[in-house]
Amino acid sequence: MSKLALDPEHIERPRRAASVIADQMDAFIRERSTVSVERTLLRLVGIDGVDDEDVPLPNVVVEAIREANRLEEGVMRPLAEAVLLTRRDPQTIAEAIAEDTLQIDELESAREREIRRIGEELTEEALDRIASSVNERNERLADSEDRP
């Protein structure tokens, strides 16, 4: 018996049920939040638009990376590797994936140092675009008059 004089089975059974529920919720959240975050990263590096079936290109790229069994790496590593190996920008890579003229899983592998360098460049460009947009917004706000 426990300190509270409860039957151990009455304690263990709800714990097992809670564990099963927590595991199911964790798997559900991981799958969705990872994919959502990965699509957001692709948008940040400039991938926009839709394919010929109106599927957003970030979704197309995430799915291609998932089909190549590389989603656990995140999207930036395979994308940076594709940029490095094809010498194309992220948008052009996304369009080629959508047109089925580029397969992520058929690219040769590149050196980790070079992949990281490209990833850092893509990230810096995205941060610069964000900073530029913030500055432009702030300038417009400064130039505008308050409404009555």
Side-chain angles (χ1 to χ4, degrees):
M1 284 291 186
S2 70
K3 290 181 183 179
L4 299 176
L6 297 174
D7 181 352
E9 180 58 28
H10 285 116
I11 296 170
E12 190 55 35
R13 189 169 150 228
R15 282 185 179 163
R16 285 192 307 263
S19 178
V20 168
I21 292 167
D23 289 346
Q24 290 171 347
M25 287 306 298
D26 186 53
F28 179 86
I29 291 168
R30 281 182 191 267
E31 181 177 318
R32 279 145 186 86
S33 64
T34 297
V35 170
S36 177
V37 168
E38 301 305 334
R39 287 191 306 246
T40 300
L41 288 171
L42 293 173
R43 287 184 180 95
L44 281 172
V45 297
I47 296 177
D48 194 19
V50 295
D51 69 4
D52 59 357
E53 296 178 7
D54 289 333
V55 176
L57 289 178
N59 297 38
V60 171
V61 174
V62 167
E63 189 57 32
I65 292 170
R66 182 195 321 258
E67 288 173 5
N69 293 316
R70 295 187 64 185
L71 191 56
E72 68 278 354
E73 300 173 46
V75 294
M76 288 302 292
R77 189 179 187 292
L79 179 65
E81 191 168 37
V83 168
L84 179 65
L85 295 171
T86 66
R87 301 188 188 279
R88 299 178 190 174
D89 62 86
Q91 180 68 28
T92 306
I93 289 169
E95 291 167 0
I97 290 170
E99 294 164 0
D100 206 27
T101 59
L102 176 67
Q103 286 74 37
I104 291 291
D105 59 343
E106 292 180 5
L107 292 174
E108 297 176 20
S109 60
R111 294 187 351 192
E112 187 65 29
R113 185 176 71 233
E114 291 300 309
I115 294 169
R116 286 180 185 263
R117 180 183 59 79
I118 296 293
E120 289 170 5
E121 288 175 10
L122 293 172
T123 303
E124 286 299 319
E125 290 169 8
L127 292 174
D128 288 346
R129 276 194 305 277
I130 292 169
S132 176
S133 293
V134 168
N135 289 337
E136 181 180 335
R137 177 184 178 274
N138 289 341
E139 287 173 11
R140 286 183 183 189
L141 286 173
D143 290 344
S144 67
E145 295 179 19
D146 290 340
R147 292 183 180 184

